[in-house]
Amino acid sequence: MTEDLITIKELTEEEQWKDAFLVMKQLLTDLDKKKYLQLIKEMYTEGYKMFALFEKGKIVAVTGVIQLTNLYYGKHIWVHDLITDESKRSKGYGEKLLLHIQTWGKENGCGIVVLSSGFERADAHRFYENKMAYTKSSYVFRRQV
């Protein structure tokens, strides 16, 4: 991986979010572009931030995060999404992007980065635990109402 060909930046405009959709869609397969943009706009007003890793000017990995505070984590970063383009996996891009988020969180007064990952994503779990030193601390439960 040539460092000068890799950049990470925050995506703050609709056109940039549109550019990130093709990578984001690889994880969120049920999401169409219209609904994606609607949700991103709403989430953005709530503090959601999207960052992308570019290789030679092309988005190859995306993460969406929010800064939160609660009683059990204190001030923290919640990672909603972390996706590397299928054709670019195992090249260190996810690691580089997550390290960027960890640094960004620390610079913004957060002491922890938290994420959840679906049971079926065994490769992602190995990455988080073995490569990035994250620990399993809970289950996430949900119920539709």
Side-chain angles (χ1 to χ4, degrees):
M1 177 167 40
T2 307
E3 292 300 318
D4 58 341
L5 302 177
I6 304 298
T7 57
I8 297 174
K9 66 181 181 181
E10 184 178 352
L11 308 182
T12 59
E13 301 171 0
E14 185 171 340
E15 284 305 311
Q16 295 172 320
W17 300 332
K18 286 178 183 177
D19 291 343
F21 178 72
L22 290 177
V23 174
M24 191 72 79
K25 176 91 171 133
Q26 293 177 25
L27 178 67
L28 305 168
T29 56
D30 293 339
L31 202 56
D32 65 52
K33 194 177 228 177
K34 182 179 177 184
K35 183 69 171 176
Y36 160 80
L37 288 172
Q38 175 188 344
L39 290 170
I40 293 293
K41 289 174 187 175
E42 186 175 331
M43 292 164 59
Y44 191 75
T45 65
E46 297 171 354
Y48 179 86
K49 298 196 179 294
M50 186 182 291
F51 295 85
L53 184 141
F54 293 79
E55 177 190 55
K56 300 178 187 174
K58 182 180 180 207
I59 294 175
V60 296
V62 178
T63 188
V65 303
I66 192 166
Q67 183 177 300
L68 300 169
T69 303
N70 62 27
L71 295 173
Y72 41 94
Y73 296 131
K75 190 173 179 182
H76 64 283
I77 300 298
W78 178 268
V79 178
H80 283 287
D81 323 288
L82 178 64
I83 309 102
T84 299
D85 186 284
E86 293 168 338
S87 68
K88 301 290 184 175
R89 293 191 182 147
S90 298
K91 295 184 177 187
Y93 298 135
E95 177 182 7
K96 187 175 263 320
L97 192 52
L98 195 51
L99 287 171
H100 178 82
I101 293 305
Q102 290 172 188
T103 299
W104 179 81
K106 190 173 184 178
E107 289 170 352
N108 284 278
C110 297
I112 192 166
V113 175
V114 184
L115 56 84
S116 72
S117 180
F119 287 120
E120 70 283 358
R121 299 191 37 84
D123 290 340
H125 302 168
R126 276 191 297 280
F127 166 73
Y128 296 131
E129 291 178 301
N130 300 339
K131 184 95 174 175
M132 301 304 298
Y134 279 62
T135 58
K136 289 180 194 172
S137 61
S138 68
Y139 286 102
V140 175
F141 294 92
R142 68 180 187 191
R143 180 177 179 194
Q144 291 186 332
V145 292

